[in-house]
Structures are given as structure tokens and as C-alpha cells.
Amino acid sequence: MANALYSAKSAVVDVNDKNFASEVTKHDGVVIVEFYAPWCGHCKSLVPEYEKAASHLKGVVKLVGIDATESQSLAQKFSVQGFPTIKVF
């Protein structure tokens, strides 16, 4: 995803419609999901702290990011109305 806020090297897992089930709903532990928009200033400001949390919590809690502009069906399914929206699964 060209617009993703999190790089492949990030501890934050990039999730979309295709891998949501395997990365979130079928995960055995706690997953914190950030729904973001790449143009959102608040979302961009959250990136360093969210990445830091993902690094510190690795192996305990999984942190994922979903570009809600690309995965609109997921954003709608979970009633995302603003950015960033954080949900715990």
C-alpha cells in the first residue's frame, strides 16, 4: 500500500480486507486496531507513539493499522466515523 502510514519494517502490522480475519479475528490474543486515513494529521502524529507501543508490547499485544480509505468495508463494519479510531479485539 503506497499510502500506508506504517512501513514493512514497523512493528505495527498493516492489515486490510484480505488479511483482517487471519491477523485480527483469528489471533489468539489481544489486538489493538487503529483505523486511519493517510491524509489525517492526528493519525500522522500518532505514528511514532503507536510504533513505540507496538515495539514495547510485541509478543504481548498485537498492534495493527488499517487504512480506512482503502478498507472502507471494514471501517463501515466497525462504525468508524473519524480518524484515528482505535478498537480493541
Side-chain angles (χ1 to χ4, degrees):
M1 294 181 151
N3 290 333
L5 292 182
Y6 302 100
S7 71
K9 296 177 183 176
S10 174
V12 176
V13 179
D14 193 33
V15 173
N16 55 42
D17 295 312
K18 294 176 183 158
N19 64 354
F20 181 81
S22 63
E23 294 290 345
V24 178
T25 56
K26 292 182 180 176
H27 183 70
D28 290 336
V30 175
V31 182
I32 299 174
V33 177
E34 175 200 7
F35 290 90
Y36 67 86
W39 46 260
C40 169
H42 295 296
C43 300
K44 291 176 184 177
S45 296
L46 181 60
V47 169
E49 295 303 319
Y50 201 62
E51 286 183 329
K52 189 186 309 180
S55 293
H56 289 321
L57 295 171
K58 193 169 190 157
V60 179
V61 176
K62 182 185 226 179
L63 275 75
V64 306
I66 298 176
D67 180 346
T69 65
E70 293 287 326
S71 298
Q72 294 177 5
S73 62
L74 284 174
Q76 185 177 19
K77 179 178 180 178
F78 295 106
S79 303
V80 174
Q81 297 180 354
F83 303 112
T85 295
I86 297 175
K87 305 253 181 191
V88 178
F89 291 81

